[in-house]
Structures are given as C-alpha cells and as structure tokens.
Amino acid sequence: MNWARVEKKPGFYEFSGPRRAYKDLLDEDKNKLTLVINWGNPLYDNGHTPQSKKALNALEAYTKEVIGRFPVIETLEVGNEFNGRNFVRGPLEKMAPLERSQAYLKMLKAASQGARAGRADIRILGGATHSLPGSWLWKIMDSGGGKWMDAVAIHPYSTPAEQFTRQMAVLRWHPSLKDMPFEVTEFGTDSVKSAGNHLVKNYCQFALAGVTKAMWFPANLRGRRTVPLFTPNGRLTSAGLAYRTVAKHMEGKVVTDISEDQFTYGCKFGNNTYVIWGAARPFKLGDAAQVFDLSGKPVSSPPESLDPETPIIVISDSDTPFTLGELPLIADSYYQFSYPEKNAHKAEGDGFDRFAKEGKKTVPLLTMPGQDRPNVPWVPWRGHPDHKGIRLTAETLLPSTSKDIVHVFTAEHPQDITLTAHFKPGKKSEDGVIVRLSRNGEPLLEERASHDNPVEIQRKPLSMKSGDTLEIVVAAGKSQRGDLTRYRITLERATTQTQ
C-alpha cells in the first residue's frame, strides 16, 4: 500500500478505493496479511526514502494509522531488499551497504514504534534483505536493531536449497540471531521445469533452518519471469500444485532432519510425511508406503533411485517407509561445501581441503559472512580478509593472477576412484583459467578452460593408497578479469581396472 496515495496532505489519511481499502475485504478469521512498508512520500524528503526527523516522524504516524485501521494485518515488514539499491530512493542509493544499514535502522525504529502504538500485538519483520548477507544483518544487530523486530525477513533467491541450512548457520553465529525467527517473505524461480522441485526442496530446508513462514513469489504474473502460482486464467502452475501439496501434507507439522549423510537431503513432517532427494543411490519403497508426485497424485511406479533434482514424497505410518542402497560417492565439492567456524581452515566433514596457494605459500579460505565489502557474494562465502582477489562458494571459484584455488582429496585407505570435474569460466573471461590435476605431486593433466570450451575431466579409475593425495588446481591466466568459474568436483568408488 503506497504511502503517497494514503497521505496527500500532512496528517490526513484517506483509505477509500480498492488499492487502499482492499484489506477490508479480507475475512479476519480466514486471512492474515503481511504488509510491506517501503518507499517515501513526496510530502517529506522529496519523496526519497525517509531519513530526516520530520519524514521519520511522519512515517511513524502513518504506520500507526495503518496498523490501527486494519486488524487483518498480522505482520508488518519494514523495507524491501534494503541491502541493495533497487528499493531505496535518494541519497541512500549511493551509500555502501553497511552504511545504508544504519539508515535502515532509523526507518525500522520509526515504523516499529508506530506499528506497536497502533496495535501492541503486531509482528514486526526487520532486516529486509535480498539473499543472506551476514555482514548486513550482523551490523544491524550490533547497532541494536533486534529491539525493533520480532523476526528477520529474507529473500534467499541466490541460495540453492542444498546450501540454505549451512548459510543460515553462519548467520546465526551472531548471538542476537541465534534464536531469532526468520521468515522467507519471497522465494521462487524463473524455471518452469523445476519450479515445483524448487518449492518443495526449499520448504524442507527452510523448516530445518528455523524459518517460521515462507511465501512464494509471485502469486500471479507480475510482468517478471518468476514462475507464479496461478496462470492468468486461474489454473495452478507446477509451483501452485506443489504449494498445495506442501500445505496439505507438511505445513504446521514438526520437522525432523532425515538426511543420512552430506550427500542426501530430507525431512520428515509430522508422523508420516517424508521428503528426500540427493546424490543418486538405490531407493526402495517400504511396505504400506505410497509415493506421491509434487502435485499430490499417487505414483504407480515408485522411483528406484534418489535424484539430485526431484524430491521424492513418501507418506507412510511404517517405521521403515523406505530404504536407501549403497552410495558410490566418496567426495563432492557441492554437497560437502561447508563453512569453517571462526578461523578454522577446514570445515568438519568436508571431503576436500580447500585453500589458495601463492607459490609455495598456502592461504586459508576462511568463512566470510556475506556482503562484507563491495563485489563479493551477498551470502556467506570463503576467502581471506587480507587477500581480496580470491573467492570460493559451493558453485563458483575465482583465482587471482598470483593465487590459485586448490582442492585436495586425501585417501584414508587404499581405494580405486573415479574423478569427474567440470570448470567453466564466465563469458567475460579474457583468457580463461588453467586447470591442473596431479596425484602425489605428479602431474596428470593441464588444460585451459574458457566459457565456450569448458574443461571436462573424467579420470577412471585412479588407484589411491592410504595417504595419497589428489590435487585439483585452478589458476588465472595473465588476466583475472571475468574469471569467475563455475565448477563441480566429484569422486566415486571405481569398479574397473585402475590407472
């Protein structure tokens, strides 16, 4: 609801017309509304995001009026993706993110005070972030922002479902966020093919991470590519069908993590509903169990293997709804990507040692909280505060002209393994990246990867003795420009003759 439409004369509020009074049409017993308050009003600060004392006082008064007027509003979300520039106006657009966080605090305080004066039981959402920027949220909490909110609002568009709980765990390193509820007030995808998968997988991981409410965006077409819940003629999309399935079988139920290892992801909702996906391995449905597709329809022929993209939904009252077969995977750079705590160099359970190397000097890749400086991810990532040109996430890596990004696997016992790896620099890479593979220091491969000619490695099988190392190095060429590289490294048990 646009402030400028409601208050056209200072101190006078007009709520007539469908765009302002639509909330009166909602049955309070059946509907609860989360209202986002953002933008400014031309009456104050030239319509820019309010910052002057006069504008903030007016915002407080307006918020009090709105919340007192409409009891159907259960929650007030203050700001929208405030850590970016798209939804602020005026001087705030030029501020660095962490500086803007302090400007946001003024608006959060004013709106929160007004809302609580309008109705004491109103729920306040603060933070207002796109993605999961730890530095932004930590700065707000360090400045006392927790006093003015009941939960944190996030839009985790840039976080894959498999990485969500790990990134949230980093955010919760801050004492004020340890037990703070989080609400996902927007999530979605522009992929029609994977929209249902995206919704169900994320719902599972949201629940495990302590998210108390999740809102798919959008409900209907908004002139964007993001898949809505409804088509223009009112039919449910694949996302809408999955949404209905979640609401029927999972919403409001106690969730339990049923992941057996880092390569498998799953949730048990209540006593009988299971969601599971992950690295390929045999899947066998138990007796008295039923598999449903994402639209909620029973599946006559249950899958025989887990799938990394499509979650399996099982409903069963049995203690053994399904069993999983042996997993061929030994290590995986994506599934096992984690964040070392404090200044640790390696995350617990990671199948790889991950670090940067400058000549013979090793540079640890530490956990960086996200949006801690310009031109870095808005989610937790790995790098080093003293070496700003290098970066590592679960999906991308960036070497510098002086520092290579290195993954090392060390065999714990004699084994034959198959290596599969993929490296693809961005379109703007000037001279690509160089990929090197060695075993116990002995070179096995060196290739240059470009966007049009990515490096694809399939070495099978490799014989490894106990303590042997396999080292994969990615180095920049003469230029680092555009070298952000998508990558994936997996190791599996080999079944054929060794090399």
Side-chain angles (χ1 to χ4, degrees):
M1 185 169 57
N2 192 301
W3 180 11
R5 291 193 183 103
V6 173
E7 186 182 2
K8 295 183 178 181
K9 181 179 179 182
F12 292 87
Y13 308 100
E14 176 58 59
F15 291 104
S16 62
R19 299 195 72 170
R20 289 169 286 189
Y22 68 88
K23 291 166 288 300
D24 287 334
L25 303 176
L26 300 175
D27 186 331
E28 289 179 46
D29 294 330
K30 296 180 180 180
N31 299 280
K32 294 298 179 185
L33 185 70
T34 293
L35 183 72
V36 181
I37 192 165
N38 201 53
W39 304 123
N41 188 317
L43 298 174
Y44 311 101
D45 288 359
N46 297 315
H48 296 157
T49 302
Q51 283 294 288
S52 70
K53 184 175 181 181
K54 181 179 179 181
L56 291 168
N57 287 341
L59 174 67
E60 181 176 340
Y62 163 69
T63 306
K64 177 183 177 181
E65 192 74 19
V66 170
I67 299 304
R69 169 68 175 76
F70 298 104
V72 74
I73 300 174
E74 179 184 55
T75 304
L76 181 72
E77 182 175 350
V78 181
N80 181 61
E81 299 181 1
F82 226 85
N83 58 317
R85 291 191 173 95
N86 291 341
F87 297 97
V88 296
R89 295 291 181 267
L92 271 67
E93 292 183 66
K94 298 181 180 180
M95 289 183 180
L98 297 188
E99 181 185 5
R100 196 182 311 120
S101 73
Q102 302 308 290
Y104 171 72
L105 275 172
K106 298 178 182 179
M107 186 171 163
L108 174 64
K109 179 181 177 181
S112 179
Q113 288 181 154
R116 288 170 175 171
R119 197 170 69 247
D121 64 347
I122 190 69
R123 183 173 173 81
I124 307 293
L125 301 184
T129 72
H130 187 295
S131 305
L132 300 179
S135 289
W136 165 272
L137 290 174
W138 291 0
K139 183 72 171 179
I140 288 174
M141 293 299 158
D142 286 341
S143 303
K147 177 181 179 182
W148 305 109
M149 66 178 84
D150 300 297
V152 177
I154 54 176
H155 298 170
Y157 285 114
S158 57
T159 297
E162 292 80 12
Q163 306 301 322
F164 184 80
T165 59
R166 297 164 190 165
Q167 293 183 5
M168 281 290 294
V170 174
L171 267 56
R172 292 192 185 278
W173 287 358
H174 194 287
S176 297
L177 294 174
K178 182 180 179 182
D179 299 313
M180 175 75 78
F182 278 72
E183 294 191 10
V184 173
T185 53
E186 284 187 30
F187 78 109
T189 178
D190 58 5
S191 171
V192 175
K193 181 179 179 180
S194 65
N197 296 339
H198 186 84
L199 191 152
V200 173
K201 289 164 63 174
N202 276 281
Y203 187 86
C204 166
Q205 296 301 294
F206 291 168
L208 293 177
V211 170
T212 56
K213 187 178 292 184
M215 304 180 191
W216 183 267
F217 181 87
N220 57 350
L221 284 173
R222 295 287 301 274
R224 295 176 55 172
R225 293 181 299 169
T226 314
V227 178
L229 298 180
F230 298 93
T231 65
N233 62 4
R235 293 183 180 275
L236 289 174
T237 64
S238 59
L241 291 169
Y243 186 102
R244 184 174 64 182
T245 300
V246 167
K248 180 178 179 180
H249 295 291
M250 305 170 205
E251 183 180 9
K253 295 182 179 180
V254 174
V255 64
T256 305
D257 188 351
I258 60 170
S259 305
E260 294 191 358
D261 48 52
Q262 290 176 297
F263 311 114
T264 307
Y265 300 81
C267 292
K268 178 182 179 182
F269 292 95
N271 296 321
N272 66 354
T273 302
Y274 301 80
V275 175
I276 189 165
W277 74 96
R281 64 196 298 182
F283 172 89
K284 184 178 180 181
L285 189 65
D287 296 335
Q290 177 67 60
V291 171
F292 291 81
D293 65 20
L294 298 182
S295 69
K297 296 180 180 179
V299 175
S300 57
S301 299
E304 297 180 352
S305 173
L306 283 193
D307 186 89
E309 301 299 331
T310 304
I312 301 172
I313 299 175
V314 178
I315 296 181
S316 173
D317 292 320
S318 168
D319 293 334
T320 310
F322 55 83
T323 55
L324 300 178
E326 188 175 6
L327 181 72
L329 203 56
I330 299 171
D332 186 291
S333 62
Y334 177 76
Y335 286 142
Q336 292 182 301
F337 189 89
S338 298
Y339 299 93
E341 294 193 29
K342 298 181 180 179
N343 290 319
H345 293 187
K346 183 178 180 180
E348 184 178 354
D350 196 340
F352 296 94
D353 287 299
R354 311 179 196 231
F355 53 90
K357 188 159 62 175
E358 184 176 13
K360 294 183 178 181
K361 179 184 176 182
T362 296
V363 178
L365 294 175
L366 307 176
T367 297
M368 311 296 285
Q371 209 175 19
D372 32 285
R373 57 179 182 251
N375 302 315
V376 299
W378 291 8
V379 298
W381 57 289
R382 290 179 64 174
H384 197 286
D386 298 328
H387 302 276
K388 297 184 178 181
I390 53 177
R391 183 192 313 172
L392 184 67
T393 73
E395 298 177 287
T396 62
L397 55 80
L398 180 65
S400 72
T401 53
S402 61
K403 299 175 187 68
D404 306 335
I405 301 295
V406 183
H407 286 73
V408 176
F409 169 77
T410 303
E412 295 182 355
H413 52 80
Q415 55 190 315
D416 295 339
I417 64 174
T418 296
L419 165 67
T420 303
H422 169 89
F423 302 91
K424 184 176 184 179
K427 289 183 178 180
K428 296 182 179 180
S429 178
E430 292 186 346
D431 56 3
V433 298
I434 302 164
V435 181
R436 301 186 180 99
L437 171 67
S438 63
R439 177 175 51 185
N440 297 329
E442 178 185 349
L444 298 177
L445 173 148
E446 180 172 323
E447 292 186 19
R448 183 179 294 272
S450 66
H451 181 77
D452 294 329
N453 292 288
V455 167
E456 305 282 355
I457 302 175
Q458 282 219 330
R459 300 292 295 227
K460 58 181 183 179
L462 292 165
S463 181
M464 304 286 286
K465 299 176 183 177
S466 180
D468 280 359
T469 59
L470 195 65
E471 184 176 81
I472 303 101
V473 177
V474 180
K478 293 182 179 180
S479 170
Q480 183 198 30
R481 187 182 299 274
D483 281 352
L484 187 66
T485 299
R486 296 191 69 84
Y487 78 104
R488 182 78 175 263
I489 306 166
T490 62
L491 299 173
E492 295 184 348
R493 288 189 303 276
T495 58
T496 57
Q497 187 178 356
T498 59
Q499 293 180 1

